[in-house]
Amino acid sequence: QFMTLLVAQMQNQDPLNPMDNSQVTSQIAQINTVSGINDLNDTLAAINGQIGKSQQLQASALIGRGVLVPGNDISVGEQGSSLPFGMDLDGPASQVKLTITDSIGTVVHESSYEDQPAGVQSFSWDGKDAAGAIVGAGSYRVTVTATGPDGEPVAVKPLSMGYVGGVVSGSDGPQLDLGPNGLVSLDDVRQII
C-alpha cells in the first residue's frame, strides 16, 4: 500500500516544483504513524477481551458467597432470622442512625451508633421490634442517616446482602446474579461476606 501511494504521489507531483526529500520523509513518517496506531488499536482490543475473560473467571469465584451491594432491603425469615446489611459512609460520622421499616412504612426497629469511621461496615439485626417481639417473615427496608463531627450530614449509602447464584456475561463486563436482588456489576460489590 505504501509503495502504491508513493508511486502515485511521484507520478502526480509538479515536475517544475518537485517535493524535496524532507517532505517525502515527513509523509512516510505520517503513514508509518497511522499504521502503528492501527496496530496498537488491534492490540488493545485483544488485551481488553482478555481482561473481560479474566474478570469473568474471578467473578465465578464468588458463586455461593454473600456480597453487600447498594440497596436498602433486608430479608427476614422464620423466627426473625435476617440477612446482614450494611452502610458505606463517605466520611467519619459522630452519629449514625439506622431505621428499619416494614412494607407499609411502619418503624419496627431503630438503633444508633457513635463515632463510626468512613467506609463500609456491616450490621446484623436480630429480627425483633422495639418491644422485643419477633417480626414476621418478609422484606423490610433500612434507612441510614449520618452526622459528621461538625454537625453536618455525611453522605451514606445503605447496603443489602445477596447470595451470588451465577455470573452473567454482559456488554459492560460480567454481572453477578443475586437471584431476587437482580444483576449487579463487580464494581457494585462493597464487601464479600
Side-chain angles (χ1 to χ4, degrees):
Q1 290 175 347
F2 166 72
M3 288 305 291
T4 303
L5 286 171
L6 183 61
V7 169
Q9 181 174 347
M10 294 294 220
Q11 289 173 342
N12 293 306
Q13 68 177 324
D14 183 357
L16 299 175
N17 186 19
M19 294 177 66
D20 64 19
N21 289 340
S22 64
Q23 289 176 316
V24 172
T25 305
S26 172
Q27 289 186 0
I28 290 171
Q30 290 173 356
I31 292 170
N32 284 337
T33 300
V34 170
S35 175
I37 289 172
N38 286 336
D39 291 343
L40 182 61
N41 285 341
D42 293 342
T43 303
L44 287 175
I47 290 172
N48 199 21
Q50 291 173 352
I51 289 172
K53 289 181 191 250
S54 175
Q55 284 181 330
Q56 193 156 358
L57 284 173
Q58 289 174 345
S60 67
L62 294 175
I63 294 175
R65 304 283 305 266
V67 292
L68 285 179
V69 295
N72 56 2
D73 292 328
I74 303 173
S75 295
V76 176
E78 298 300 321
Q79 302 300 317
S81 61
S82 69
L83 292 177
F85 61 96
M87 66 177 178
D88 188 358
L89 278 169
D90 281 0
S94 57
Q95 184 77 24
V96 174
K97 182 179 178 185
L98 301 176
T99 304
I100 299 175
T101 56
D102 61 15
S103 59
I104 59 172
T106 304
V107 175
V108 293
H109 175 81
E110 287 183 318
S111 56
S112 296
Y113 303 89
E114 295 180 354
D115 300 324
Q116 298 299 306
V120 174
Q121 298 170 50
S122 59
F123 297 92
S124 59
W125 174 42
D126 61 4
K128 294 181 181 176
D129 62 17
I134 295 175
V135 299
S139 182
Y140 292 80
R141 182 162 291 211
V142 63
T143 305
V144 186
T145 56
T147 307
D150 55 0
E152 292 293 317
V154 176
V156 58
K157 296 178 195 75
L159 305 173
S160 62
M161 183 178 164
Y163 284 99
V164 180
V167 178
V168 177
S169 180
S171 59
D172 295 333
Q175 294 185 309
L176 304 177
D177 183 359
L178 302 184
N181 292 345
L183 297 174
V184 297
S185 71
L186 282 174
D187 292 339
D188 288 332
V189 175
R190 300 293 187 268
Q191 188 176 60
I192 301 168
I193 298 179

